[in-house]
Amino acid sequence: MKNEYLAFPFEILSIVKETEIDWTYTVKYDGPLVGGQFMQLSIPGVGEAPISISDFRDGSLDMTIRKVGRLTDAIFNLEAGDSLFMRGPYGNGFELSKYVDKHVVIIAGGTGLAPVKNVIEKLTSGEIKTNSTRALIGFKSPDDVLFEDALKRWSQDHEVTVTVDKQPDKPWNGKVGLVTEHIPTLEGYDIEKTEAIVVGPPMMMKFTTLALLKAGYLPQNITVSFERNMSCGIGKCGHCKIDETYVCLEGPVFNYTTAVKLLD
Amino acid sequence: MAYQLSHEMFDRYLAALSATHRVFAPVVKANKNKLADLDLITYDEVSGADQIIWSEKSYFSPKEIFYPIRETLFRFVGKEAFVPEVDQKPMLILLRPCDLNGIDRLDQIFFNNGVSKDFYYERRRKLVKFAVIECTEGFDSCFCVSMGTNKVDSYDMALKYSGDSITLDIKDETLVPDGYSFGANEDFELDFVKSNKTKVELPDFEGVDLNQVFGHEMWKEYTSRCIACGRCNTSCITCSCFTMQDVFTDDEKMLSERRRRWAGCHIKGFSDMAGGHSFRDKNGERMRFKLMHKVYDFNKRFDKHMCVGCGRCDDVCPEYISFSKSINKVAKIIQEVKHEK
Ligand SMILES: Cc1cc2nc3c(=O)[nH]c(=O)nc-3n(C[C@H](O)[C@H](O)[C@H](O)COP(=O)(O)OP(=O)(O)OC[C@H]3O[C@@H](n4cnc5c(N)ncnc54)[C@H](O)[C@@H]3O)c2cc1C
Ligand code: SF4
Ligand code: SF4
Ligand code: FES
């Protein structure tokens, strides 16, 4: 009998402070992963929570963690050389083969960028050969911007729009306004043949997908990723269930045609 | 093989069986009922025939015998995790047909939902054998006949209780203690409830826009009546949800535990997420979620309804909310929706 709840310690190799409250932890890891999957991350005695794998490579993976409560507070006290406990990976992740030779638009809001970071890396680096890859990324303010170096790198050869919710007090060379306000600028390609990925807070995803449909994107070409309360990651605890669907098993990545039918 | 035993003989059989099995049955606990100063019928280990309550329904279901309310998954000593051992003695649970069917529903989640089996559930569950108590009358709130769970396909033992004698049908030979002899063989046929006082009509959601059901006025009544106490979840034989919980047992020595405890979709916080977002804030929405899970969603995954009509949720609700009535209301609404089309 395999005990799927067993968590094992993994060494923290480095920590990057993206913002005041979002830090990226790189941990030693070997094994197959798919962008969009998540780990059950824990510290014994403190707690366990689902955290997306924001990026990975041979020998290590990244998780970008926002400090919001008991477990994440404790994780922020750890240093390189310490261990994080993990089990997983869980969830389906993004199916990247469908983006080959397509026009792709990725729209992310805030920490929603984490689960698609690896996807954007693969599409912009040419590992997955698309016709075009564009990203539209929204943050609350310039202080909330994640993955600054990666954003610069992606924008060298690709159309990357970074926007903040309100006109900031300090100098800002990105755009201003919610991501939905910038969807009309995503033109110039055959919209009916363009694939879109939308990840972010529930309201952002709702209004972004509606705006995309209005702009002419086809429902079957839109992919979203959900977050729900999760305690097990393996279809047992019941917390992530929506209708007959378990987000930890059949998700967190869903085609819009499925996602739109999920009623909480 | 079936045997007819007197009360005394059955008592001696239980004593002999207890050498190899822990036997669990409905028992009475004095003044334990939270609703009033009454006795509570609940499950516990028994050693004699006198302790067994044959003629009443237990307030709690037998699930907690092998799926405890709270369970330690690991003890951590620093970075090392230790899995606590469990008693390896086989168990025999006396229960009614609805509950045996309910345990099949728990099995579906813990064994068949997703690719992983639940280690903690499995290690106790495989020690459990079932003795079905013949149930021909049911109780006021039962609706097992409507759910098709008044019958069982298989059992390890069946029991007919008739006041002064008990007839046993033993299918699993390990339930016959070594060197034990019962006397003459009897014919045995297990009888079942044929009709309940409470009947439900299962809603046929086929071809219906679920938005019309989810957005319906009927849920508002439950928002004002349900107090989110979660008793309907904890008493239900088929509710399987849990939440993980970590605790330090000794800070200095770095001793800690990871536990899980039952959780319920009616209880506040069940779907709360970081950042303050939550789903189904209104109690009526939770009632709807539970109902859809019990008589629609589960069936789509496992080809049978989760609810087995044991009626406990109706028995225990402090606000007298009736689940069976709510199912019938939904069935009526579905008919109206279909009629309007
Ligand atoms: C598939 C998935 C991927 C995620 N990816 C990331 C990520 O990449 N980075 C990141 O920072 N966060 C991510 N989260 C959210 C992360 O799980 C929560 O922030 C984390 O549970 C908070 O734990 P805590 O102990 O620090 O907070 P707590 O002290 O537990 O509580 C803070 C708040 O979070 C809620 N909460 C508790 N447990 C969960 C849970 N299991 N899921 C959701 N909310 C919960 C509480 O109800 C409370 O409102 C993801 C969640 C899911 C479901
Ligand atoms: S929902 Fe109510 S009637 Fe159905 S199995 Fe659970 S407690 Fe019994
Ligand atoms: S329906 Fe009744 S038993 Fe269930 S949570 Fe509401 S008040 Fe409690
Ligand atoms: S996270 Fe437990 S069932 Fe999905």
Side-chain angles (χ1 to χ4, degrees):
Chain A
M1 266 193 285
K2 185 170 182 249
N3 188 345
E4 189 60 43
Y5 296 104
L6 261 177
F8 299 95
F10 290 85
E11 189 192 336
I12 300 173
L13 299 173
S14 63
I15 302 171
V16 174
K17 301 182 180 177
E18 312 280 354
T19 75
E20 201 61 24
I21 53 161
D22 304 281
W23 295 1
T24 297
Y25 290 73
T26 301
V27 302
K28 223 173 163 167
Y29 186 84
D30 275 308
L33 295 170
V34 179
Q37 286 187 306
F38 63 93
M39 286 288 179
Q40 285 289 23
L41 190 64
S42 64
I43 299 180
V46 183
E48 189 178 54
I51 300 288
S52 304
I53 296 157
S54 52
D55 208 352
F56 56 90
R57 59 205 70 74
D58 274 350
S60 68
L61 65 78
D62 299 346
M63 289 171 290
T64 305
I65 301 171
R66 172 161 285 195
K67 186 177 188 295
V68 294
R70 199 168 124 100
L71 172 67
T72 49
D73 286 355
I75 292 175
F76 271 53
N77 290 327
L78 299 178
E79 292 169 6
D82 290 341
S83 297
L84 275 169
F85 281 67
M86 294 196 305
R87 58 185 178 93
Y90 299 125
N92 55 357
F94 290 91
E95 191 193 319
L96 295 184
S97 58
K98 72 189 248 197
Y99 300 118
V100 175
D101 295 337
K102 293 280 173 57
H103 294 294
V104 186
V105 175
I106 297 141
I107 308 174
T111 50
L113 183 54
V116 283
K117 178 175 183 245
N118 172 265
V119 175
I120 304 179
E121 292 286 8
K122 289 219 157 78
L123 267 50
T124 53
S125 69
E127 194 179 328
I128 302 290
K129 288 193 179 55
T130 60
N131 271 340
S132 72
T133 303
R134 288 171 294 169
L136 167 55
I137 302 160
F139 297 104
K140 260 211 180 91
S141 76
D143 292 336
D144 297 303
V145 174
L146 303 175
F147 313 131
E148 240 161 305
D149 293 344
L151 290 174
K152 273 191 207 126
R153 189 158 24 86
W154 299 337
S155 49
Q156 277 166 9
D157 297 315
H158 301 273
E159 196 183 313
V160 176
T161 309
V162 180
T163 177
V164 292
D165 291 1
K166 288 192 300 260
Q167 181 63 48
D169 303 336
K170 51 173 131 181
W172 167 250
N173 27 13
K175 296 260 175 7
V176 175
L178 302 175
V179 283
T180 41
E181 295 168 34
H182 299 287
I183 286 171
T185 66
L186 293 172
E187 280 172 0
Y189 298 110
D190 187 350
I191 283 183
E192 290 194 7
K193 287 195 185 137
T194 303
E195 290 279 344
I197 296 174
V198 182
V199 191
M203 280 302 154
M204 174 267 176
M205 289 211 285
K206 186 176 164 195
F207 290 111
T208 304
T209 47
L210 288 177
L212 286 174
L213 293 172
K214 209 170 143 216
Y217 285 78
L218 299 182
Q220 64 269 31
N221 292 344
I222 302 175
T223 303
V224 298
S225 179
F226 276 2
E227 262 191 34
R228 284 297 178 280
N229 186 321
M230 292 186 180
S231 242
C232 73
I234 54 171
K236 311 295 173 195
C237 76
H239 283 278
C240 72
K241 182 183 166 286
I242 316 173
D243 306 331
E244 78 268 23
T245 301
Y246 288 76
V247 176
C248 67
L249 298 176
E250 283 94 41
V253 178
F254 292 99
N255 187 273
Y256 178 78
T257 53
T258 307
V260 72
K261 289 195 209 121
L262 300 177
L263 305 173
D264 273 288
Chain B
M1 265 171 276
Y3 314 96
Q4 192 175 11
L5 308 184
S6 69
H7 213 263
E8 293 73 44
M9 286 159 76
F10 183 63
D11 199 50
R12 262 181 277 133
Y13 166 65
L14 282 184
L17 188 65
S18 66
T20 52
H21 289 77
R22 299 171 68 198
V23 181
F24 292 85
V27 300
V28 63
K29 292 219 172 131
N31 300 324
K32 282 281 181 177
N33 193 320
K34 290 196 185 76
L35 294 182
D37 210 12
L38 297 170
D39 297 342
L40 182 72
I41 312 294
T42 184
Y43 266 86
D44 208 348
E45 196 166 349
V46 296
S47 52
D50 283 345
Q51 293 163 289
I52 300 170
I53 301 293
W54 298 98
S55 54
E56 282 176 73
K57 175 161 49 168
S58 66
Y59 183 96
F60 288 112
S61 84
K63 75 179 174 190
E64 68 183 281
I65 300 164
F66 53 93
Y67 174 40
I69 299 172
R70 199 176 76 181
E71 173 167 27
T72 298
L73 306 185
F74 312 110
R75 296 208 166 84
F76 289 104
V77 181
K79 281 187 194 170
E80 244 190 302
F82 297 91
V83 177
E85 300 281 317
V86 288
D87 190 342
Q88 290 298 314
K89 196 169 175 181
M91 293 177 263
L92 179 71
I93 300 177
L94 274 66
L95 78 187
R96 289 167 194 277
C98 58
D99 282 345
L100 186 49
N101 283 306
I103 286 160
D104 164 69
R105 310 306 192 260
L106 293 177
D107 288 352
Q108 299 304 324
I109 295 289
F110 287 115
F111 293 147
N112 301 335
N113 205 34
V115 292
S116 316
K117 288 187 176 181
D118 189 286
F119 173 86
Y120 293 91
Y121 181 84
E122 185 177 24
R123 66 179 182 161
R124 282 202 187 81
R125 175 66 181 78
K126 64 178 197 190
L127 297 171
V128 183
K129 287 164 194 166
F130 298 104
V132 183
I133 302 173
E134 185 179 77
C135 185
T136 53
E137 300 284 327
F139 305 92
D140 288 355
S141 61
C142 300
F143 53 98
C144 56
V145 177
S146 302
M147 301 310 298
T149 49
N150 53 329
K151 297 185 177 172
V152 291
D153 300 332
S154 67
Y155 51 75
D156 302 303
M157 185 197 286
L159 301 156
K160 266 183 211 270
Y161 175 78
S162 72
D164 40 34
S165 77
I166 293 144
T167 312
L168 299 186
D169 181 28
I170 302 183
K171 290 254 166 50
D172 179 340
E173 290 302 320
T174 65
L175 294 171
V176 181
D178 273 348
Y180 199 89
S181 125
F182 283 106
N185 264 352
E186 298 278 324
D187 284 339
F188 190 94
E189 202 176 335
L190 196 62
D191 202 2
F192 301 101
V193 185
K194 289 174 192 74
S195 174
N196 300 121
K197 282 190 196 133
T198 300
K199 294 180 175 62
V200 303
E201 188 186 336
L202 288 165
D204 175 13
F205 294 97
E206 205 55 55
V208 173
D209 174 7
L210 287 184
N211 280 299
Q212 284 181 278
V213 182
F214 282 36
H216 199 275
E217 286 285 308
M218 77 165 272
W219 306 111
K220 287 191 181 152
E221 179 200 332
Y222 300 107
T223 294
S224 57
R225 285 175 67 198
C226 168
I227 57 168
C229 67
R231 272 184 203 166
C232 51
N233 293 138
T234 50
S235 65
C236 176
I237 178 70
T238 67
C239 274
S240 54
C241 296
F242 62 84
T243 297
M244 299 285 225
Q245 204 173 37
D246 275 41
V247 284
F248 275 103
T249 44
D250 187 331
D251 273 339
E252 299 203 339
K253 295 197 192 107
M254 293 284 290
L255 299 183
S256 63
E257 287 189 8
R258 179 156 300 155
R259 299 170 180 166
R260 70 170 171 199
R261 59 177 167 74
W262 289 359
C265 57
H266 266 269
I267 303 165
K268 195 172 161 32
F270 184 76
S271 63
D272 285 4
M273 294 209 308
H277 200 90
S278 69
F279 302 93
R280 303 184 299 276
D281 261 336
K282 295 197 179 78
N283 294 346
E285 294 170 319
R286 298 178 195 167
M287 183 76 181
R288 183 216 75 213
F289 180 82
K290 179 183 68 183
L291 185 141
M292 294 302 287
H293 184 33
K294 298 287 181 194
V295 300
Y296 184 59
D297 300 340
F298 185 94
N299 186 48
K300 280 190 154 182
R301 289 182 86 87
F302 303 110
D303 264 341
K304 48 190 147 194
H305 289 301
M306 189 177 217
C307 175
V308 293
C310 74
R312 286 194 182 89
C313 50
D314 285 20
D315 302 338
V316 304
C317 179
E319 302 301 311
Y320 303 101
I321 289 169
S322 165
F323 187 58
S324 51
K325 285 208 177 94
S326 72
I327 299 175
N328 284 332
K329 265 189 221 169
V330 172
K332 206 163 150 236
I333 287 164
I334 295 285
Q335 277 175 355
E336 284 164 12
V337 166
K338 285 188 173 167
H339 201 73
E340 280 163 24
K341 260 199 195 164

